[in-house]
Amino acid sequence: MAEVIAVVKANAFGHGDVRVAHTAMRTGASGLGVTTYHEAFGLRRAGITAPILTWLISPGDDHEAALAAELDIAVGTLDVLEAIARVCVTTRRTGRIHLHVDCGMNREGARSSELLPLIHRSRALERAGLIRVIGLMGHLPDAGLGPEHNEEGLELFAAAYHQAFVAGLRPAGRIRNGN
């Protein structure tokens, strides 16, 4: 069965993130998605214990608090990966990482030229026990228009998954977010 992550970013698009999160989890979602740590921390403060993936990450964000809150973190740059790894060393926590691939949205995620170094460094950090790459994600630029409008993005995503697999990573989940 496919896993579904309910995206509750931006206060669940104005519908109330906590209320929608509870409804989504009760009706079969396997996790939640938000853009920022701030949004994820709000869900945790409200008692939400479900897995939460967050994907707009900056090197200056509070990675220690994110690891303590057991967030899944989408990483699209080496700078962010290294910042998280440093916190993993000092806190002795293992970071749960999704590699974030730019599938044509051109606003977040690793571009093709940045992807292989990110994959290889992630694999080295995984071998060291600092992180665990649990997934791969990317935003399709025109998801609402259907697959025929996203062929290039789907190909980029498939290539990224293949590169991660060849490098020895075994991400359990693959998330394609169309918003």
Side-chain angles (χ1 to χ4, degrees):
M1 180 194 289
E3 291 189 30
V4 174
I5 291 180
V7 176
V8 295
K9 69 178 189 171
N11 195 29
F13 301 93
H15 297 287
D17 57 351
V18 173
R19 187 183 64 150
V20 171
H22 282 298
T23 300
M25 296 310 299
R26 242 188 351 264
T27 57
S30 56
L32 304 167
V34 296
T35 52
T36 66
Y37 286 171
H38 177 75
E39 290 175 314
F41 296 152
L43 292 171
R44 289 289 191 243
R45 282 191 301 275
I48 305 285
T49 60
I52 300 174
L53 171 64
T54 182
W55 58 84
L56 283 182
I57 312 302
S58 300
D61 284 348
D62 190 349
H63 304 307
E64 186 172 344
L67 291 174
E70 298 182 352
L71 301 181
D72 293 352
I73 305 167
V75 175
T77 68
L78 281 170
D79 288 345
V80 169
L81 181 64
E82 295 297 346
I84 291 169
R86 284 190 297 276
V87 173
C88 290
V89 168
T90 61
T91 63
R92 295 189 173 148
R93 293 183 183 270
T94 301
R96 291 173 43 94
I97 303 298
H98 288 248
L99 296 179
H100 193 167
V101 180
D102 181 356
C103 293
M105 195 73 135
N106 294 316
R107 70 176 186 205
E108 55 199 46
R111 296 196 168 140
S112 294
S113 62
E114 304 161 327
L115 191 57
L116 230 73
L118 182 66
I119 287 170
H120 288 294
R121 184 62 179 144
S122 295
R123 181 63 177 132
L125 292 170
E126 190 174 77
R127 281 187 186 135
L130 296 174
I131 67 164
R132 174 79 182 107
V133 177
I134 60 166
L136 205 70
M137 74 161 288
H139 283 81
L140 295 173
D142 294 313
L145 299 176
E148 63 278 6
H149 295 279
N150 290 284
E151 288 178 22
E152 184 178 345
L154 292 169
E155 288 172 10
L156 287 168
F157 189 82
Y161 189 80
H162 177 74
Q163 289 172 329
F165 192 85
V166 168
L169 296 172
R170 299 296 182 264
R174 295 184 293 170
I175 300 166
R176 290 189 307 240
N177 185 341
N179 62 20

